Amino acid sequence: MPGHFEPIPGGGAAVALDEVEISIIRSLAVQLLELIGPGPAEDAPDDPLAELFAEGPSEPPSDPVLMRLFPDAYSGPDVEARSPEQAEEQRAHSAEFRRFTENDLRAGKRENALVVIRCLDALSTAGEGSAVLKLSAEECGQWLRTLNDLRLAIGSRLDIEDEEDTDLLYRLPDEDPRKPMVMAYLWLGGLQETLVSALMP
């Protein structure tokens, strides 16, 4: 179990984590929360109807990490081949889609990250050096989504666009300042992969 998820009876998965690993995942999840920002309910009057009909931003975020987490709905590899009129129409569709979905997407990512933090906060490694994290099937889904978001965020900071970029990371010298971030990116990928495997029937 050390370092990778394994299935547990009744659904869900478990992994043994030491204090350093717990600290790394928790710190990254907290940073993700800070990046996503507070929800509407945290900075607006307590009005359920206002929250229900609240509109999100129509412009894409300027931060490249947030743009990776909340990409335009109507963009793709053929964007350069579009006429100015088609490009303008796609931007309008993307803005409309973002306006009505981004708040919910942010809320979902925020809740998933909070679940990860709460699960880690409930662990105790006192005297043993490591603790076994046991997740329900629902928590596994939330962990998977947060691990994916963390890798997207780190990948954006590392300018990873495809598998070829990932291959280059393995060859970085130890003195490269990106090395710790690369190690975290690869380790999270391993956790994500084993969690997916643990959930497969």
Side-chain angles (χ1 to χ4, degrees), residues 61-73:
S62 57
D63 187 313
V65 175
L66 286 174
M67 188 61 187
R68 183 78 67 92
L69 292 172
F70 305 101
D72 275 335

Side-chain angles (χ1 to χ4, degrees), residues 2-154:
H4 62 273
F5 279 95
E6 292 182 359
I8 55 177
V15 63
L17 298 171
D18 63 30
E19 289 183 12
V20 173
E21 292 168 332
I22 293 168
S23 175
I24 291 171
I25 299 173
R26 191 186 190 287
S27 174
L28 290 172
V30 168
Q31 291 176 56
L32 180 65
L33 280 176
E34 292 171 350
L35 184 66
I36 293 170
E42 297 172 52
D43 54 15
D46 188 17
D47 182 351
L49 285 178
E51 186 177 337
L52 180 64
F53 294 105
E55 294 181 1
S58 58
E59 293 299 315
S62 57
D63 187 313
V65 175
L66 286 174
M67 188 61 187
R68 183 78 67 92
L69 292 172
F70 305 101
D72 275 335
Y74 297 94
S75 63
D78 63 336
V79 67
E80 298 297 329
R82 297 172 187 158
S83 69
E85 293 79 14
Q86 289 173 320
E88 183 57 38
E89 183 180 0
Q90 296 296 344
R91 278 192 291 272
H93 289 319
S94 289
E96 191 76 354
F97 186 84
R98 184 179 295 280
R99 190 158 61 94
F100 291 109
T101 61
E102 187 166 313
N103 281 347
D104 286 342
L105 289 173
R106 283 180 183 260
K109 291 180 185 298
R110 193 179 298 112
E111 180 56 32
N112 292 333
L114 283 170
V115 166
V116 168
I117 292 168
R118 290 181 192 125
C119 288
L120 294 173
D121 286 348
L123 287 179
S124 172
T125 60
E128 298 187 20
S130 66
V132 176
L133 172 71
K134 294 183 179 180
L135 302 176
S136 67
E138 182 180 0
E139 288 169 338
C140 284
Q142 293 167 306
W143 267 74
L144 271 177
R145 290 187 285 275
T146 296
L147 289 172
N148 187 62
D149 286 342
L150 291 175
R151 293 191 79 238
L152 285 173
I154 296 172

